[in-house]
């Protein structure tokens, strides 16, 4: 536990715990909406915010939050109105975000692509006190939204038409989900990195679904997996001097494989037990009467 003696590791671990909570908390709604790669797209857009932060000598975290929120809102508008050319518009948005980030950071005084690397793949030693403050504020917003509006967000994620009929503000909730996903990306970029954050939003949820089908249980298990792998990846990165983002994502995939391997025989055992509890045949009164077909054959 000697790593706790260092202030940068204390900051990194606090950020890792917050990332482990927020990423799966938002990811469960994205998985339900079949928008698993939304976090990846927002991460591309957020690169422009990071570059602007360096260019304008402002906090890259807050600037990335602003730009990624605007990008997430634009993505939702494209999803609503750009039915024919929406995929092309999204591609230009994503790749334009990457190009803008590289361009702005090279135009910044003393800026270079090396400054961008820690935001793309995560870095433990560069998590500052101001970063931790921003991450805490943004993580609090994400937790309040994902827990406080869980029933409404779940309803919209499952069936937008049904949610609209029941009187829910579907478009406002969709925008809120997109904004929350954008905030989560900026929360996670200092630990996991912009290019890898989508995996932490999706894979823990997929792993949790191997063990449970209920929303509440899946939510809790996914968050537990997220916290475990972010702490484990951060500590491993300290001792082995490996990239934290890549380590966390690989641990997350390993957790998915392990839980899948454990869940498969359990599912088979439950299926056999359920089949054993069912009666061998239908009761006589429930049997479907046979009808005689032309030619003397019997059919149903």
């Amino acid at each position: 536990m000697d790593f706790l003696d260092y202030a940068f590791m204390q900051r990194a671990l606090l950020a890792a715990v917050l990332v482990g909570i927020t990423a799966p908390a938002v990811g469960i709604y994205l998985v339900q909406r079949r928008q698993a790669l939304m976090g990846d797209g927002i991460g591309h857009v957020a690169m422009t915010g990071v570059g602007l932060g360096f260019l304008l000598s402002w906090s890259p975290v807050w600037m990335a939050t602003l730009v990624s929120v605007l990008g997430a809102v634009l993505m939702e508008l494209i999803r609503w109105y750009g039915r024919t050319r929406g995929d092309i518009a999204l591609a230009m948005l994503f790749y334009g975000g990457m190009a803008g980030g590289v361009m702005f950071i090279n135009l910044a005084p003393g800026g270079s692509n090396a400054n961008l690397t820690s935001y793309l793949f995560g870095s433990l030693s560069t998590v500052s006190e101001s970063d931790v403050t921003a991450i805490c504020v943004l993580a609090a917003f994400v937790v309040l939204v994902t827990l406080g509006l869980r029933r409404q967000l779940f309803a919209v994620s499952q069936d937008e038409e049904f949610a609209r009929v029941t009187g829910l503000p579907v478009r406002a909730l969709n925008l809120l989900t997109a904004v929350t996903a954008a905030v989560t990306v900026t929360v996670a970029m200092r630990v996991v990195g912009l290019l890898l954050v989508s995996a932490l939003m999706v894979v823990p949820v997929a792993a949790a679904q191997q063990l449970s089908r209920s929303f509440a249980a899946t939510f809790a298990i996914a968050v537990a997996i997220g916290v475990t792998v972010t702490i484990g990846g951060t500590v491993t990165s300290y001792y082995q001097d490996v990239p934290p983002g890549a380590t966390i994502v690989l641990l997350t995939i390993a957790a998915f494989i392990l839980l899948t391997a454990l869940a498969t025989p359990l599912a088979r055992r439950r299926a056999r037990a359920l089949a054993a509890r069912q009666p061998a045949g239908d009761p006589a009164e429930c049997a479907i009467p046979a009808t005689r077909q032309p030619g003397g054959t019997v059919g149903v």
Side-chain angles (χ1 to χ4, degrees):
M1 301 290 284
D2 59 312
F3 57 85
L4 292 177
D5 296 334
Y6 299 97
F8 79 93
M9 278 301 295
Q10 296 172 9
R11 295 192 296 268
L13 283 172
L14 176 58
V17 170
L18 295 176
V19 170
I21 294 171
T22 55
V26 174
I28 191 169
Y29 300 107
L30 299 182
V31 171
Q32 294 291 333
R33 290 156 56 100
R34 294 176 175 84
Q35 293 180 332
L37 295 179
M38 185 177 185
D40 188 52
I42 295 174
H44 286 65
V45 176
M47 290 173 61
T48 292
V50 173
L52 279 173
F54 279 98
L55 181 63
L56 302 176
S57 300
W58 204 48
S59 168
V61 175
W62 287 112
M63 183 61 77
T65 302
L66 175 61
V67 172
S68 59
V69 165
L70 293 175
V73 171
L74 185 56
M75 288 169 62
E76 275 298 302
L77 294 176
I78 291 173
R79 190 171 73 89
W80 293 343
Y81 301 112
R83 298 185 183 277
T84 55
R85 296 296 183 94
D87 56 340
I88 297 176
L90 287 175
M92 289 191 294
L93 180 65
F94 297 163
Y95 298 130
M98 292 181 64
V102 175
M103 180 62 70
F104 288 138
I105 203 166
N106 278 277
L107 291 175
S112 67
N113 290 338
N115 300 117
L116 195 58
T117 302
S118 63
Y119 291 89
L120 293 178
F121 303 104
S123 175
L124 297 181
S125 59
T126 57
V127 180
S128 64
E129 291 185 5
S130 61
D131 289 336
V132 172
T133 301
I135 290 171
C136 288
V137 173
L138 296 172
F141 167 78
V142 172
V143 171
L144 286 175
V145 171
T146 54
L147 289 180
L149 296 175
R150 62 188 182 279
R151 297 182 184 276
Q152 294 89 335
L153 294 177
F154 177 75
V156 173
S157 300
Q158 286 291 101
D159 191 335
E160 286 191 7
E161 292 302 323
F162 176 78
R164 187 175 288 109
V165 169
T166 59
L168 290 176
V170 172
R171 288 196 170 182
L173 290 170
N174 281 336
L175 275 176
L176 183 60
T177 302
V179 169
T180 308
V183 172
T184 303
V185 168
T186 55
V187 168
M189 70 180 182
R190 301 301 278 139
V191 177
V192 184
L194 292 172
L195 296 184
L196 299 174
V197 62
S198 184
L200 195 60
M201 298 170 75
V202 174
V203 180
V205 177
Q209 288 177 337
Q210 305 303 309
L211 300 179
S212 173
R213 295 301 177 189
S214 73
F215 177 80
T218 301
F219 188 100
I221 295 172
V223 169
I225 294 171
V227 172
T228 301
V229 297
T230 50
I231 293 177
T234 302
V235 174
T236 302
S237 176
Y238 169 78
Y239 282 112
Q240 301 299 324
D241 193 22
V242 290
T247 306
I248 290 170
V249 171
L250 290 175
L251 286 177
T252 309
I253 295 173
F256 173 81
I257 295 173
L258 176 62
L259 291 179
T260 302
L262 293 175
T264 301
L266 290 175
R268 291 174 180 170
R269 190 176 304 171
R270 292 194 199 101
R272 286 196 297 266
L274 181 62
R277 288 197 297 268
Q278 291 179 345
D282 291 324
E285 62 270 20
C286 295
I288 301 175
T291 58
R292 186 166 297 278
Q293 304 292 337
T297 60
V298 176
V300 177

